[in-house]
Amino acid sequence: MTAVGSVPRAAATGGPLTGTGTLVRFALRRDRVRLPVWLLALVLGTLATAQNLAQLYPEPADRAAAARTMGSPAALAMTGPEQYLESYTPGAMLGHQMIGFVAVLVGLMSVLLVVRHTRAEEETGRAELLRSTVVGRHAALTAALLTALAANLLLGLLLAAGLAALGLHGVTAGGALLYGAAHAATGLVFAAVAAVTAQITPYARGASGTALAVIGLAYALRAAGDVGGGALSWLSPIGWAQRSYPFAGDDWAPLLLSLAAAALLAWTGYALSVRRDLGAGLRAARQGTATASAALTRPFGLALRLQRGVLLGFAAALLLLGAMYGSILGQAGDMLEGVDALDQALAATGGASFEESFASVVMVVVAIVAAVYVVMAALRPRAEETAGRAEPLLATALSRARWAGSHLAVALLGGTLTLLLAGLGFGLAGAASTGDAGLVLRLTGAALAYAPALWVTAGVAAVLFGWAPRATALAWLVPVYAFVVGYLGKILRFPDWTDNLSPFGHIPQLPATALSWPPLLTLTALAAALLTLGLAGLRRRDVG
């Protein structure tokens, strides 16, 4: 007889893919909220943008003027290849201006999905429990890739059906299907990238960070290629998606490169997975010192050490992002001249000069990228808790408030530091571009003005962690909503009240407007109240 709860010997001889179907169903069950939110946001955002582009540029003359302004090197670097400009219909405008941006988001969705169901499961120890049952060695990775495949195919179909249903000029059914397929293929490439990075490091954050760096490199290669001769764009999956030219030629051939790259990377992930132990990474962990430093014996020092890599990565990225925008500040007026939507968005800031008005809009983007770091850092205590590393610490004399507060302090100070570096890079490059040395201090101060909004973002994450830890993913709504409303909303003419629902909407539009202290002080007080409330909730609930 077989003992209750044991696994029969005959059943334990399954192949490497045994249990894949069950794990796919489990993954879909776990992501029953995340995936629909991702898909709806990407599809509805694309459809809303397509509709607004058609309304903002109803006449051929309007679109021709927009095409002329988008032909500059700076504009091509921020949008896509020049071929779209030859017949700038609403469909071509959508492909030109949105594929590069949305492809990054699709890549982010795919990376997080694969890492969540592979490396994160090993890091928490759940993968080892599953592997002790009738689950094959490759089942988890295969289930994650199949889930990513299903999500990207569904995204492509929804985009194709939605765009075809709009009936816009230049948006054909074939082009809509290609548009959706381009996004799906790009998502598959980055899902396969995550399958490789998940084998390299033993930590989920490291796997995600490495894959996100690949996405950033792909975007940079695409931008450099579109400005130059185009050769570098052929090294980027995002460049392949753009060069399928939906609504501007409809070329399916570049997507074959995406499928080939995805297959090759997935095969590499499988090959690497058999060269390591479960829970370990291919990259050997660096040996630490025999004794801990004085900083590591304190909660803040430990929290800073745990989050050091993410902080340094975001700091460098925001410094470069600020410098990139600053380098085109001197040409911003010529680049965007005649684009009515942007003219109205910049005029709404009330700036004394075009450069300052443009900089105030860019500051929103910089602040929202910094907010992404703040959410990641503020939710690190939740990751420590679910991984079982928090309980041993709290079993000592360390209080819950000091433990969680140290991570929140890193989020607050780190977010402020990234703003400072972004503003400094923006100011230095902007001063070199315009010849106005005063921009260094003005743009650095404008970036730091968004610090209270970041602190409120951290406060929202703290409240969710303290009172509703299972709902901490909702903290991501703050930066996502801020971007949709604070940046795209200005261009697409969203109602003013939508901006007031975001903490970023209450920040003075520096350097275009005068500094106003009351909203900054109010946001600071709100952040302090939210942080206090979150720590109070942590004291009242169980940990683990």
Side-chain angles (χ1 to χ4, degrees):
M1 293 181 63
T2 301
V4 176
S6 66
V7 180
R9 289 183 178 273
T13 60
L17 298 180
T18 301
T20 299
T22 301
L23 291 181
V24 169
R25 293 192 296 271
F26 183 49
L28 294 174
R29 174 68 173 79
R30 293 180 63 196
D31 286 345
R32 64 190 184 280
V33 175
R34 285 181 175 85
L35 279 181
V37 169
W38 269 108
L39 296 178
L40 286 176
L42 292 171
V43 172
L44 294 180
T46 299
L47 297 182
T49 301
Q51 191 70 47
N52 277 279
L53 286 173
Q55 294 175 355
L56 293 173
Y57 303 94
E59 301 298 331
D62 299 326
R63 297 192 290 271
R68 288 193 297 271
T69 62
M70 290 296 176
S72 68
L76 293 176
M78 297 176 66
T79 52
E82 197 169 7
Q83 180 173 323
Y84 285 96
L85 305 178
E86 296 177 1
S87 179
Y88 218 37
T89 63
M93 295 180 76
L94 180 69
H96 185 226
Q97 300 181 30
M98 288 295 290
I99 288 180
F101 167 68
V102 178
V104 171
L105 296 180
V106 174
L108 177 62
M109 175 190 74
S110 301
V111 165
L112 295 179
L113 189 153
V114 172
V115 172
R116 170 177 166 80
H117 295 295
T118 53
R119 176 51 64 181
E121 291 297 285
E122 294 187 41
E123 186 177 354
T124 58
R126 289 190 292 265
E128 187 173 3
L129 292 175
L130 289 174
R131 286 283 297 277
S132 67
T133 64
V134 191
V135 173
R137 182 178 185 88
H138 296 315
L141 180 57
T142 304
L145 290 175
L146 287 177
T147 305
L149 173 64
N152 282 287
L153 288 179
L154 181 57
L155 172 65
L157 291 174
L158 290 174
L159 287 173
L163 289 174
L166 290 179
L168 300 179
H169 174 58
V171 177
T172 62
L177 185 60
L178 177 58
Y179 187 91
H183 288 79
T186 306
L188 292 180
V189 173
F190 290 120
V193 168
V196 174
T197 61
Q199 316 307 321
I200 298 173
T201 172
Y203 303 107
R205 287 177 178 269
S208 299
T210 305
L212 294 181
V214 174
I215 295 177
L217 177 62
Y219 188 87
L221 288 172
R222 191 281 310 163
D226 290 342
V227 173
L232 290 177
S233 296
W234 288 103
L235 301 178
S236 167
I238 299 176
W240 303 337
Q242 289 186 323
R243 276 161 173 72
S244 63
Y245 297 117
F247 315 121
D250 293 351
D251 186 1
W252 288 82
L255 299 189
L256 297 177
L257 293 173
S258 297
L259 297 179
L264 178 61
L265 288 167
W267 177 86
T268 303
Y270 283 111
L272 294 178
S273 68
V274 301
R275 296 178 178 272
R276 65 177 181 87
D277 293 331
L278 184 67
L282 291 172
R283 186 177 62 190
R286 185 168 58 91
Q287 294 294 327
T289 58
T291 58
S293 64
L296 287 179
T297 62
R298 296 176 174 84
F300 180 80
L302 177 59
L304 181 60
R305 176 63 181 83
L306 292 174
Q307 302 200 38
R308 181 180 63 182
V310 176
L311 174 57
L312 292 177
F314 269 89
L318 278 168
L319 178 63
L320 293 176
L321 180 65
M324 182 189 73
Y325 277 118
S327 65
I328 65 172
L329 189 59
Q331 296 81 38
D334 295 335
M335 184 180 75
L336 301 175
E337 181 181 2
V339 183
D340 293 339
L342 288 175
D343 285 343
Q344 293 180 13
L346 297 175
T349 63
S353 68
F354 189 93
E355 288 76 13
E356 290 179 338
S357 300
F358 177 72
S360 68
V361 175
V362 170
M363 283 300 173
V364 177
V365 179
V366 169
I368 291 170
V369 175
V372 172
Y373 161 75
V374 168
V375 173
M376 293 179 65
L379 294 183
R380 182 58 188 261
R382 178 58 180 168
E384 295 294 301
E385 179 185 5
T386 56
R389 294 187 291 265
E391 191 171 358
L393 290 176
L394 297 177
T396 65
L398 179 63
S399 68
R400 297 184 181 189
R402 289 189 64 198
W403 167 68
S406 63
H407 287 280
L408 292 174
V410 172
L412 298 175
L413 296 175
T416 306
L417 174 63
T418 58
L419 283 179
L420 173 64
L421 292 175
L424 184 61
F426 197 3
L428 291 172
S433 177
T434 62
D436 183 3
L439 282 175
V440 177
L441 288 179
R442 292 203 300 275
L443 294 180
T444 302
L448 287 175
Y450 280 90
L454 295 187
W455 301 340
V456 171
T457 303
V460 172
V463 169
L464 290 170
F465 172 62
W467 293 92
R470 294 182 179 273
T472 50
L474 294 177
W476 289 104
L477 292 178
V478 178
V480 170
Y481 182 84
F483 178 79
V484 172
V485 174
Y487 180 67
L488 294 180
K490 287 182 172 62
I491 299 175
L492 301 179
R493 302 175 187 175
F494 286 5
D496 292 338
W497 64 266
T498 59
D499 204 25
N500 294 330
L501 299 178
S502 168
F504 297 86
H506 298 278
I507 302 297
Q509 299 289 291
L510 299 174
T513 61
L515 176 63
S516 177
W517 285 102
L520 302 184
L521 296 176
T522 301
L523 288 174
T524 302
L526 176 60
L530 290 173
L531 291 169
T532 302
L533 179 62
L535 293 177
L538 179 61
R539 294 190 190 98
R540 292 174 176 269
R541 70 171 179 86
D542 293 333
V543 174

